[in-house]
């Protein structure tokens, strides 16, 4: 262990009295693996670690900001409206077994992998692919995925703002069937005793028992009961959306939704106005506020009749379900999309980290925290659903919903039956808004960082204009979603923008880095940052080389085989709409071969095809740490040299590791 003499107390940090460079820490591993571990050479450059993260590009104000930003990005609407339903549908408590296994086989390796790429290079999703220029199209694919998702995700936030505004009233507008938008099919479903007795509501709200009518009348009543709608259903479809009969009929613009969408984009613009600095402050709220609201809702739900029934249905293990391949696939898919890898967001967030940040620890904390949030949210959601089933006199499974149906119909209907219902409605939609904003901030920051990283010298000094232009462009693209047929467009985007394409990108990026750049080499880069290999070296090596690619490929095949025509309720999307969906999905994936072909064709024609491929699959000069001091550490780790601490500092000072050295074949 080499150390330097401590400087005098009054000397500037990292400098001795005679101006010599001091090395703060140096560690070596055993002779059998003779490469230096992390060396803190920030003193050699005369710069402190905070400035070492790249003042020009920006950096997090504190480590906690990065942790909260990742948590806010990963924990989104899917944790509330998808996981509890999947848990119930796929075996209740038994579903936790495949869920946790898939977390450590797919989720954590991908999460850690992308944080490593971003932190080591301090680059966004496109620029980071200087690690293997031939496959820079993966970065463009990530950019398009984030762009498409960001366009429709903010529309969901606009809906949330609409509901939030509508909740500031003495009585919730979806509390009755007495509004102008209600139809004859609207029923409050307050006749609980009727359903408990096995009866059905007739057209006037009266109760009819099966024993009192003939079979034909009962069949007619049953069919009619199936067409009855709750007030919350008609508020969502008839009032807020004024929904048309299908995607082929877009209808007119819903100007209140246009205004809500404008407010949503304004909020995002203001938070990201100062870049990562203002973003880092906003996540203190967006990452913590939802937990406070969830806790309040949980306490309230636990006092409601039917709460225990809801939790029972949520958690009761059904072990026979574990024999179904679909259960394991659903667990893996939920982990994959819940943590949101392959959209470029994780690489973007990690690119603002300090070089020696312990991102391995962060990956474990955030991944496990995300899964805990999903599980915890289930107690709130199913508690309220149990109450709803008790109110209606039906089984819990008859009330269970997922997606927008849960957030904007089932849950508002249940909330409307609570005492002081506007208060609980405000709390619920405030929680949805902050959850969505946390994800949307990162999606837009990914778009911004990608654009500015393409032309850093021109665009970084014009961050505000790039941000404004991006917000206006995405707002304009989102305007069709504000039409009466906008729900169908949103459903189409949600189904195709980030499913097949994200899985394909995930498979490609892991295969490229693990097999072309090298998993061992990537682990050496991690050791340069952390000072040690993550536990356990062999697991990470083979998870990236084999386990994770196989798992993601399996998910891709399963999703393809399990694919069915897109529907919304009883409406089935036409063939042309499905074709548009596939075009959206393939637009991002097509960037991978397209960019590769362009790069091969644009190289020196005197080189053979294999020579071009060989050059484009080797890291180019920009790859590596952003600052010279960290590039020096990475070079020493790659060379496996054994200098004394003072000699290393002298080598750095004298430029022994300068990039201009003609003998230096190491990319960084």
């Amino acid at each position: 262990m080499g150390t330097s003499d401590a400087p005098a107390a009054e000397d500037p940090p990292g400098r001795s009295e005679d101006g010599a460079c001091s090395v703060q820490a140096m560690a070596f591993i055993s002779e059998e693996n003779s490469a230096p571990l992390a060396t803190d050479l920030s003193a050699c450059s005369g710069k402190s670690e905070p400035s070492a993260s790249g003042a020009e590009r920006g950096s997090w104000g504190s480590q906690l900001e990065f942790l909260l930003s990742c948590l806010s990005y990963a924990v989104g609407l899917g944790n509330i409206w998808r996981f509890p339903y999947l848990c119930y549908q796929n075996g209740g408590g038994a579903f936790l077994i495949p869920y946790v296994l898939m977390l450590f086989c797919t989720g954590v390796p991908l999460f850690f992998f992308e944080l490593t790429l971003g932190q080591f290079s301090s680059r966004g999703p496109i620029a980071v692919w200087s690690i293997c220029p031939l496959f820079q199209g993966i970065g463009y694919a990530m950019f398009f995925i984030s762009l498409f998702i960001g366009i429709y995700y903010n529309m969901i936030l606009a809906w949330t703002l609409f509901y939030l505004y509508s909740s500031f009233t003495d009585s919730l507008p979806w509390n009755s069937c007495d509004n102008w938008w209600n139809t004859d099919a609207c029923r409050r479903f307050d006749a609980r005793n009727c359903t408990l007795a096995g009866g059905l509501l007739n057209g006037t709200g009266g109760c009819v028992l099966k024993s009192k009518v003939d079979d034909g009348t009962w069949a007619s009543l049953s069919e009619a009961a199936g067409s009855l709608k709750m007030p919350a259903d008609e508020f969502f479809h008839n009032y807020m959306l004024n929904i048309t009969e299908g995607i082929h009929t877009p209808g007119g613009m819903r100007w209140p939704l246009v205004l809500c969408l404008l407010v949503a984009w304004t909020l995002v613009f203001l938070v990201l106005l100062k870049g990562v600095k203002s973003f880092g402050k906003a996540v203190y709220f967006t990452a913590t506020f939802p937990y406070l609201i969830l806790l309040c809702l949980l306490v309230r739900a636990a006092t409601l009749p039917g709460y225990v029934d809801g939790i029972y249905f949520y958690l009761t293990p059904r072990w026979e379900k574990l024999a179904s391949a679909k259960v394991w696939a659903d667990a893996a898919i939920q982990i994959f999309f819940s943590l949101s890898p392959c959209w470029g967001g994780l690489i973007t967030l990690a690119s603002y980290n300090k070089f020696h940040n312990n991102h391995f620890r962060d990956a474990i904390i955030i991944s496990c925290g995300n899964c805990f949030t999903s599980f915890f949210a289930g107690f709130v959601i199913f508690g309220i659903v149990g109450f709803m089933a008790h109110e209606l006199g039906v089984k819990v499974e008859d009330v269970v919903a997922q997606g927008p149906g849960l957030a904007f119909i089932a849950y508002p209907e249940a909330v409307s039956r609570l005492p002081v219902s506007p208060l609980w409605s405000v709390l619920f939609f405030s929680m949805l808004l902050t959850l969505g904003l946390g994800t949307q901030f990162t999606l837009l920051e990914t778009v911004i960082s990608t654009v500015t990283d393409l032309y850093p010298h021109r665009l970084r000094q014009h961050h505000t204009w790039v941000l404004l232009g991006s917000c206006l462009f995405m707002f304009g693209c989102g305007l069709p979603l504000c039409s009466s047929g906008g729900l169908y467009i949103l459903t189409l985007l949600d189904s195709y923008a980030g499913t097949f394409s994200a899985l394909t990108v995930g498979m490609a990026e892991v295969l490229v880095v693990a097999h072309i750049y090298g998993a061992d080499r990537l682990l050496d880069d991690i050791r340069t940052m952390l000072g040690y290999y993550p536990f356990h070296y062999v697991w990470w090596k083979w998870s990236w080389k084999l386990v994770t690619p196989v798992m993601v490929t399996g998910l891709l095949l399963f999703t393809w085989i399990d694919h069915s025509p897109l529907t919304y309720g009883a409406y089935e999307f036409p063939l042309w709409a499905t074709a548009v969906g596939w075009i959206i999905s393939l637009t991002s994936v097509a960037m991978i071969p397209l960019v590769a072909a362009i790069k091969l064709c644009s190289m020196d024609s005197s080189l053979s095809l294999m020579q071009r491929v060989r050059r484009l699959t080797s890291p180019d000069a920009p790859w590596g740490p952003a600052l010279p001091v960290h590039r020096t550490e990475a070079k020493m780790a790659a060379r496996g040299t054994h200098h004394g601490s003072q000699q290393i500092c002298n080598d750095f000072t004298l430029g022994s590791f300068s990039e201009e050295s003609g003998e230096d074949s190491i990319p960084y």
Side-chain angles (χ1 to χ4, degrees):
M1 181 73 70
T3 58
S4 63
D5 296 333
E10 64 272 19
D11 290 336
R15 291 274 170 185
S16 60
E17 189 173 0
D18 60 358
C21 191
S22 67
V23 179
Q24 304 297 330
M26 184 72 183
F28 294 96
I29 58 177
S30 62
E31 290 292 333
E32 289 76 15
N33 192 11
S34 56
L37 296 177
T39 307
D40 185 359
L41 295 177
S42 56
C44 298
S45 63
K47 295 182 179 180
S48 62
E49 186 72 31
S51 65
S53 58
E56 182 183 335
R57 194 171 188 272
S59 63
W60 299 111
S62 69
Q63 178 53 32
L64 183 59
E65 289 182 6
F66 168 69
L67 200 66
L68 291 177
S69 68
C70 285
L71 189 63
S72 186
Y73 173 57
V75 177
L77 299 176
N79 298 76
I80 302 297
W81 71 27
R82 180 167 169 80
F83 173 81
Y85 178 84
L86 283 179
C87 193
Y88 158 73
Q89 187 184 52
N90 292 309
F95 182 69
L96 296 177
I97 295 175
Y99 187 69
V100 172
L101 286 175
M102 293 304 170
L103 169 65
F104 289 100
C105 290
T106 305
V108 175
L110 273 174
F111 203 92
F112 182 37
F113 173 86
E114 292 203 344
L115 292 188
T116 296
L117 292 181
Q119 182 171 309
F120 186 74
S121 64
S122 298
R123 290 176 174 85
I126 291 180
V128 76
W129 286 98
S130 58
I131 189 175
C132 189
L134 183 64
F135 292 95
Q136 195 174 50
I138 295 174
Y140 285 95
M142 291 179 173
F143 167 78
F144 277 107
I145 291 173
S146 288
L147 181 68
F148 291 143
I149 293 176
I151 290 171
Y152 79 80
Y153 205 87
N154 233 26
M155 190 66 236
I156 299 175
L157 298 186
W159 292 352
T160 306
L161 285 168
F162 188 92
Y163 268 79
L164 184 60
Y165 174 78
S166 301
S167 300
F168 287 98
T169 179
D170 293 335
S171 178
L172 293 175
W174 57 87
N175 194 41
S176 71
C177 291
D178 301 329
N179 304 288
W180 63 264
W181 60 83
N182 293 126
T183 66
D184 292 337
C186 182
R187 289 294 180 274
R188 176 65 178 154
F189 294 112
D190 283 329
R192 179 171 181 269
N193 292 332
C194 179
T195 53
L196 285 176
L200 288 172
L201 295 171
N202 61 18
T204 61
C207 183
V208 179
L209 300 178
K210 186 175 184 180
S211 59
K212 303 295 183 180
V213 297
D214 56 54
D215 291 342
T217 303
W218 182 258
S220 299
L221 285 172
S222 298
E223 183 179 353
S227 64
L228 297 179
K229 297 181 183 298
M230 293 183 291
D233 186 301
E234 294 204 338
F235 178 85
F236 178 68
H237 289 106
N238 297 354
Y239 178 61
M240 186 182 79
L241 298 177
N242 190 26
I243 193 167
T244 61
E245 61 270 20
I247 195 171
H248 56 283
T249 310
M253 295 297 291
R254 301 291 295 152
W255 295 110
L257 290 182
V258 173
L259 178 60
C260 289
L261 183 63
L262 180 62
V263 172
W265 277 113
T266 302
L267 286 173
V268 176
F269 172 80
L270 292 176
V271 168
L272 298 181
L273 187 58
K274 298 298 183 181
V276 71
K277 295 297 183 183
S278 54
F279 180 17
K281 300 301 180 288
V283 295
Y284 282 102
F285 177 75
T286 60
T288 57
F289 182 71
Y291 291 97
L292 177 62
I293 301 302
L294 277 174
L295 186 60
C296 293
L297 292 172
L298 176 63
V299 172
R300 183 66 183 97
T303 65
L304 299 174
Y307 174 80
V308 175
D309 294 334
I311 301 305
Y312 176 81
F313 275 94
Y314 174 47
L315 292 180
T316 299
R318 297 187 294 280
W319 303 109
E320 69 278 3
K321 288 279 191 177
L322 296 182
S324 171
K326 186 178 185 304
V327 172
W328 294 82
D330 281 347
I333 289 172
Q334 175 62 15
I335 283 291
F336 185 89
F337 290 108
S338 179
L339 293 175
S340 305
C342 313
W343 296 1
L346 297 177
I347 294 176
T348 299
L349 295 176
S351 69
Y352 298 117
N353 265 343
K354 296 178 175 64
F355 184 75
H356 290 297
N357 170 61
N358 190 343
H359 66 294
F360 173 63
R361 173 203 59 204
D362 295 341
I364 301 296
I365 292 174
I366 296 163
S367 300
C368 294
N370 175 72
C371 295
F372 169 77
T373 303
S374 298
F375 182 63
F376 175 65
F379 286 92
V380 179
I381 298 302
F382 267 83
I384 298 293
V385 166
F387 165 71
M388 183 75 169
H390 178 272
E391 286 288 294
L392 299 178
V394 298
K395 296 179 180 179
V396 174
E397 55 262 40
D398 295 332
V399 186
V400 173
Q402 66 168 326
L406 173 66
F408 297 104
I409 299 175
Y411 207 93
E413 180 69 26
V415 167
S416 71
R417 298 168 184 270
L418 296 175
V420 200
S421 55
L423 170 63
W424 300 107
S425 182
V426 167
L427 290 177
F428 176 71
F429 288 108
S430 296
M431 178 189 68
L432 285 189
L433 181 63
T434 51
L435 281 173
L437 283 173
T439 301
Q440 183 67 14
F441 292 155
T442 302
L443 288 171
L444 184 57
E445 182 62 29
T446 300
V447 173
I448 299 302
S449 68
T450 299
V451 172
T452 54
D453 281 354
L454 286 175
Y455 306 99
H457 300 296
R458 296 179 183 178
L459 296 181
R460 279 184 186 164
Q461 57 184 333
H462 301 296
H463 174 271
T464 301
W465 292 107
V466 175
L467 174 63
L468 179 61
S470 299
C471 287
L472 290 175
F473 173 77
M474 296 173 76
F475 170 72
C477 291
L479 285 177
L481 303 178
C482 298
S483 67
S484 294
L487 175 61
Y488 301 110
I489 303 174
L490 187 145
T491 302
L492 188 72
L493 286 170
D494 185 44
S495 300
Y496 287 98
T499 50
F500 302 98
S501 51
L503 288 166
T504 303
V505 168
M507 176 185 64
E509 69 169 342
V510 176
L511 285 174
V512 167
V513 175
H515 290 277
I516 297 180
Y517 181 74
D520 291 304
R521 196 170 176 183
L522 186 65
L523 283 161
D524 287 339
D525 294 339
I526 294 172
R527 185 186 61 173
T528 303
M529 291 185 286
L530 301 184
Y532 55 86
Y533 287 118
F535 181 87
H536 185 272
Y537 183 97
V538 174
W539 162 247
W540 296 110
K541 175 181 177 178
W542 288 105
S543 68
W544 291 330
K545 295 188 72 171
L546 183 63
V547 177
T548 300
V550 168
M551 294 291 295
V552 175
T553 303
L555 289 179
L556 185 62
L557 292 175
F558 177 84
T559 306
W560 182 277
I561 294 170
D562 195 52
H563 178 69
S564 57
L566 186 60
T567 61
Y568 180 78
Y571 174 74
E572 183 172 323
F573 282 67
L575 185 61
W576 67 264
T578 302
V580 171
W582 280 112
I583 291 173
I584 293 171
S585 185
L586 295 176
T587 296
S588 52
V589 175
M591 292 296 105
I592 302 176
L594 179 63
V595 172
I598 292 174
K599 284 185 170 292
L600 286 170
C601 294
S602 61
M603 287 191 69
D604 187 352
S605 58
S606 64
L607 297 175
S608 67
L609 178 62
M610 287 307 299
Q611 287 175 321
R612 299 181 198 182
V613 170
R614 193 176 297 113
R615 286 194 180 184
L616 288 174
T617 52
S618 300
D620 61 17
W623 169 249
L627 290 184
V629 59
H630 298 139
R631 296 175 78 87
T632 300
E633 293 179 41
K635 286 182 180 182
M636 292 187 298
R639 289 175 169 177
T641 54
H642 275 279
H643 294 287
S645 59
Q646 188 59 48
Q647 181 61 43
I648 294 172
C649 193
N650 291 339
D651 286 343
F652 174 77
T653 306
L654 295 174
S656 301
F657 295 103
S658 65
E659 296 176 28
E660 290 78 10
S661 173
E663 303 297 323
D664 189 359
S665 60
I666 300 173
Y668 38 70

